[in-house]
Structure formats: C-alpha cells, structure tokens
Amino acid sequence: MADLPSQAELVKYKSQGINIMAPPIFALLSTDTSERIAPSQYARNARSAGLDIIAWTLERSGLLADGDNGLYYQTFDSAIKT
C-alpha cells in the first residue's frame, strides 16, 4: 500500500491526461469501523482526482472465510466471513 500514488500524484496524473486507472483490488477496498468491506482511501482519492477506475476481477480463490487469503485480499480479508 505504501507504494501507491498519493492524492497529489493522482491529481497530477489527471492533469497529464490520464483518465482511467486499474489498480489491484486490494488498493480499492478496505474495511470500515464495523469491519464491513468499504472503498479504500486510495479509491476515494482517485475518484476525487477525477479518475475513472477499472477494477481487476477477483480470481477463484477457494474458501475465503479462512482468513488467510494473501495479497489480493490483504486490505479487507478480515471482513470476509463466509
């Protein structure tokens, strides 16, 4: 997550003519205070910079409720219950 562009960088991308971004799903999702899946701050920053988002599809990963789902689910794994 630390390697993702900052809000200022996203605004700069838009000013350079970049209109669409396609980050991995973990960059777009997080959990809220109730442990529900929610948009990440990065996703909100991208939208406020005027960028459209194309999300990667979720691959078939087997049982997600085991809580050990790796890289693609790292920011919202705790919210997956079933």
Side-chain angles (χ1 to χ4, degrees), residues 4 13-14 16 20 38 40 48 52 58 62 64-65 71 73 77 80-81:
L4 294 173
Y13 294 164
K14 181 65 178 177
Q16 293 172 336
I20 302 170
S40 69
S48 72
D52 289 327
L58 292 174
L64 295 178
L71 177 73
Y73 303 90
D77 201 19
I80 300 171
K81 306 297 183 214

Side-chain angles (χ1 to χ4, degrees), residues 63-82:
L63 180 64
L64 295 178
D66 67 2
D68 185 26
N69 298 302
L71 177 73
Y72 293 112
Y73 303 90
Q74 64 182 312
T75 57
F76 61 99
D77 201 19
S78 63
I80 300 171
K81 306 297 183 214
T82 58

Side-chain angles (χ1 to χ4, degrees), residues 17 24 31-32 51 70-71 77:
T31 55
D32 64 16
L51 295 167
L71 177 73
D77 201 19

Side-chain angles (χ1 to χ4, degrees), residues 9-58:
E9 290 170 306
L10 294 169
V11 169
K12 183 178 177 183
Y13 294 164
K14 181 65 178 177
S15 73
Q16 293 172 336
I18 297 171
N19 294 310
I20 302 170
M21 56 180 290
I25 197 79
F26 71 80
L28 298 174
L29 297 176
S30 186
T31 55
D32 64 16
T33 57
S34 299
E35 285 297 308
R36 293 177 298 195
I37 296 173
S40 69
Q41 184 62 51
Y42 179 73
R44 292 191 301 267
N45 289 348
R47 294 298 299 174
S48 72
L51 295 167
D52 289 327
I53 298 170
I54 298 173
W56 294 11
T57 58
L58 292 174

